[in-house]
């Protein structure tokens, strides 16, 4: 009998036609995340199995809890047998060190060649527990532990300990999107949620040096690194937005500064998305949060692109977003005080209901196509992986 980690896929198994792609991607993602551990990964259409040594065990469990597509992580025992007598012996050994008062046995028999039916196996195994543990009884409704027995083609498994995974689809199975990543609280959470649906993320950050500092940029890199720890190496596009922002500031009525600025951001994001095979734009907008996120504003801004813009946080309250930011580990970095390019040029009275014809008219006052071309041509690309140098140290 050997200790083994079993991965349950959950929702993924409903994707019948794509199951091959889903499983291969999940296996590759797990292998990448566990590259530094000593592991052996195998899988079939129902389960993935990970063998590791005792000293890597905890680390492996921790890392598995950051991989999308994993719904349940099971700490189990594998037997090279499907014989009931062997199973009984193994069960004796497995329950020996644990203490409990009530239990139930759940049997899953995917090998239909076995003569005994699942309830019969449960009954036999229940008998083993009752005989070998003192003061225990069966409780089918509220047991302290559920002992699972699974009999597969050539092997069987016993387990009673499970850890909830983060769920979702394996990153990469749904293609790529570009995340507008600012230094705020919202956009990293939006990126996390898009990744959870299987979308691989590239990120784009607009900086305005010298109005924004190197520290603000490092902060965004740190946020990208936190997102990268969810199994997604991130290509971060850093776009210099200074010339565009100054041209807008000097030439366009200030109530329209933000609207036009965001239309420019969207245009650039869409162009970089197309050049990098990203099918959607993802951002952290939330309905009503600020003047640029009223429905009329969203409409005026969204119009300049023809890619779908996915806003995972559209209907979240700020407090719900903060809770998620804390859960995924981005909150502490997001609240570091460095300025963002949007906050520097904020007008006193931004328009809440921008008029689209006015946007178009004002945009003619600046050579925005040339400015966008320049910004894209000179943009910087940084490849971020979770194990890079930790910028937290220098922030
Ligand atoms: P906060 O958490 O303070 O709201 P935010 O980053 O969400 O921060 P908003 O002004 O609400 O700031 O911006 C809405 C969205 O636009 C962001 O979630 C982000 O996706 C995108 N965005 C804003 N500024 C930038 C930037 N400098 N670079 C890239 N994307 C940006
Ligand atoms: Mg926001």
């Amino acid at each position: 009998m050997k200790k083994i980690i079993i991965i349950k896929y959950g929702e993924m198994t409903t994707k019948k036609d794509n199951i091959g792609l889903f499983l291969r991607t999940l296996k590759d993602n797990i292998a990448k995340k566990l590259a530094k551990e000593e592991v052996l990964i195998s899988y079939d259409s129902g389960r993935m199995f990970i063998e590791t040594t005792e000293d890597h065990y905890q680390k492996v469990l921790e890392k598995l809890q950051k991989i999308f597509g994993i719904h349940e992580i099971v700490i189990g025992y594998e037997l090279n047998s499907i014989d009931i007598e062997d199973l009984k012996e193994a069960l004796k050994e497995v329950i020996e060190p644990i203490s409990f008062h009530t239990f139930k046995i759940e049997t899953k028999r995917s090998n239909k060649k076995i003569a005994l039916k699942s309830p019969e196996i449960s009954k036999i195994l229940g008998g083993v527990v009752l005989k070998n543990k003192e003061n225990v009884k069966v409780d089918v409704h509220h047991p302290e532990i559920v002992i699972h027995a699974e009999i597969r083609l050539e092997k069987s498994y016993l387990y009673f300990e499970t850890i909830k995974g983060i769920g979702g689809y394996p990153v990469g199975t749904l293609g790529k999107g570009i995340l507008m990543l600012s230094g705020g609280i919202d956009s990293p959470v939006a990126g996390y949620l898009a990744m959870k649906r299987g979308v691989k993320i590239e990120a784009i950050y607009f900086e305005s040096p010298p109005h924004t500092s190197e520290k603000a940029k490092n902060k965004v890199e740190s946020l990208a690194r936190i997102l990268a720890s969810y199994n997604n190496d991130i290509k971060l596009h850093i776009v210099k937005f200074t010339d565009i922002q100054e041209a807008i500031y000097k030439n366009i009525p200030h109530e329209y500064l933000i609207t036009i600025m965001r239309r420019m951001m969207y245009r650039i994001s869409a162009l970089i998305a197309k050049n990098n095979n990203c099918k959607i734009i993802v951002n952290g907008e939330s309905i009503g949060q600020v003047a640029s996120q009223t429905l009329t504003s969203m409409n005026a801004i969204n119009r300049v692109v023809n890619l779908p813009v996915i806003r995972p946080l559209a209907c979240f309250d700020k407090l719900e977003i903060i809770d998620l930011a804390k859960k995924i580990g981005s909150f502490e970095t997001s609240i570091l005080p460095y300025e963002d390019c949007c906050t520097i040029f904020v007008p006193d009275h931004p328009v809440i209901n921008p008029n689209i014809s006015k946007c178009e008219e004002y945009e003619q006052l600046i050579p925005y196509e040339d400015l966008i071309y320049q910004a894209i041509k000179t943009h910087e690309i940084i490849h971020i992986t979770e194990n890079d140098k930790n910028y937290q140290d220098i922030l």
Side-chain angles (χ1 to χ4, degrees):
M1 184 171 62
K2 81 182 162 209
K3 203 166 166 186
I4 195 156
I5 298 170
I6 307 168
I7 304 295
K8 294 193 183 176
Y9 317 135
E11 190 180 1
M12 194 162 69
T13 51
T14 60
K15 296 263 173 275
K16 287 277 181 281
D17 296 341
N18 288 332
I19 189 91
L21 168 71
F22 275 67
L23 293 183
R24 277 193 311 277
T25 310
L26 181 61
K27 174 165 185 265
D28 290 349
N29 289 354
I30 292 177
K32 193 170 89 186
K33 182 88 183 168
L34 300 181
K36 288 199 175 145
E37 316 303 323
E38 239 167 73
V39 290
L40 206 70
I41 307 169
S42 58
Y43 67 97
D44 61 26
S45 59
R47 301 272 185 268
M48 200 160 285
F49 303 95
I50 300 175
E51 283 174 53
T52 184
T53 53
E54 203 52 46
D55 48 331
H56 289 271
Y57 209 76
Q58 273 318 318
K59 202 90 207 139
V60 168
L61 285 182
E62 260 169 48
K63 289 186 173 181
L64 289 173
Q65 286 170 67
K66 289 188 99 176
I67 298 179
F68 291 117
I70 296 181
H71 289 249
E72 216 175 356
I73 303 157
V74 171
I75 301 163
Y77 299 87
E78 183 182 81
L79 269 79
N80 263 327
S81 161
I82 51 170
D83 188 279
I84 188 74
E85 290 308 317
D86 292 337
L87 209 54
K88 282 162 71 178
E89 275 312 303
L91 180 60
K92 252 200 271 180
E93 228 180 284
V94 166
I95 56 172
E96 216 262 325
I98 54 170
S99 74
F100 56 93
H101 300 290
T102 57
F103 75 100
K104 98 171 163 182
I105 306 265
E106 265 185 16
T107 302
K108 191 167 174 220
R109 188 187 54 130
S110 43
N111 185 342
K112 302 295 177 207
K113 288 195 189 123
I114 303 257
L116 290 167
K117 299 254 176 342
S118 296
E120 292 165 334
I121 299 172
S122 293
K123 209 167 161 198
I124 294 169
L125 296 179
V128 172
V129 179
L130 293 170
K131 197 168 142 203
N132 289 279
K133 290 297 254 191
E134 281 175 15
N135 293 328
V136 297
K137 60 178 188 217
V138 175
D139 181 345
V140 289
H141 300 296
H142 305 288
E144 227 173 284
I145 65 163
V146 180
I147 301 171
H148 296 261
E150 278 193 29
I151 298 152
R152 299 174 74 81
L153 283 186
E154 289 161 353
K155 295 176 179 178
S156 25
Y157 299 87
L158 289 169
Y159 60 87
F160 49 86
E161 229 182 303
T162 60
I163 303 168
K164 208 168 162 343
I166 51 172
Y169 297 139
V171 172
T173 46
L174 268 293
K176 261 196 313 183
I178 195 145
L179 168 69
M180 297 171 69
L181 182 62
S182 65
I185 296 169
D186 303 334
S187 47
V189 177
Y192 170 92
L193 290 173
M195 281 161 57
K196 184 169 185 182
R197 301 317 292 164
V199 179
K200 187 168 169 62
I201 290 297
E202 292 198 9
I204 182 166
Y205 167 59
F206 297 92
E207 61 166 0
S208 287
H211 312 295
T212 59
S213 66
E214 194 66 17
K215 284 190 168 181
K217 177 174 162 186
N218 290 343
K219 176 180 168 185
V220 171
E221 287 182 37
S222 281
L223 290 170
R225 193 160 296 101
I226 292 165
L227 288 179
S229 72
Y230 292 91
N231 215 213
N232 182 180
D233 295 349
I234 288 181
K235 189 170 166 188
L236 173 62
H237 301 265
I238 299 185
V239 176
K240 287 225 169 22
F241 206 52
T242 318
D243 291 348
I244 296 176
Q245 223 164 1
E246 287 180 352
I248 297 172
Y249 196 73
K250 281 182 202 141
N251 297 291
I252 289 177
H254 281 195
E255 56 168 351
Y256 271 74
L257 285 187
I258 300 277
T259 316
I260 306 282
M261 190 183 81
R262 295 193 64 77
R263 281 165 60 101
M264 298 301 164
M265 283 186 176
Y266 268 50
R267 287 184 172 110
I268 294 172
S269 301
L271 287 166
I272 291 186
K274 280 184 186 148
N275 288 342
N276 289 277
N277 201 22
C278 295
K279 303 280 187 274
I280 56 169
I281 295 174
V282 179
N283 68 34
E285 288 173 351
S286 175
I287 297 170
Q289 195 184 75
V290 285
S292 61
Q293 292 164 31
T294 62
L295 299 185
T296 316
S297 282
M298 282 183 176
N299 184 23
I301 294 163
N302 205 145
R303 234 156 235 264
V304 298
V305 297
N306 54 19
L307 291 183
V309 179
I310 303 294
R311 302 174 177 86
L313 306 177
C315 302
F316 280 44
D317 290 344
K318 193 76 187 186
L319 287 179
E320 291 169 327
I321 299 171
I322 288 175
D323 279 351
L324 255 177
K326 286 181 178 162
K327 194 180 126 205
I328 70 174
S330 58
F331 183 72
E332 293 302 326
T333 305
S334 286
I335 57 171
L336 290 170
Y338 311 114
E339 69 299 325
D340 179 49
C341 71
C342 300
T343 40
I344 291 166
F345 292 92
V346 176
D348 290 339
H349 301 289
V351 60
I352 303 173
N353 290 309
N355 175 297
I356 292 167
S357 318
K358 275 195 185 161
C359 291
E360 288 164 357
E361 183 193 319
Y362 293 152
E363 281 172 354
Q364 293 313 312
L365 301 172
I366 58 170
Y368 75 87
E369 282 173 348
D370 292 347
L371 291 169
I372 285 178
Y373 176 78
Q374 273 309 317
I376 292 179
K377 208 172 110 189
T378 58
H379 93 278
E380 180 190 356
I381 294 174
I382 306 180
H383 292 272
I384 306 240
T385 66
E386 66 169 314
N387 296 318
D388 294 347
K389 185 163 122 226
N390 189 353
Y391 276 88
Q392 207 70 41
D393 299 342
I394 56 170
L395 282 172

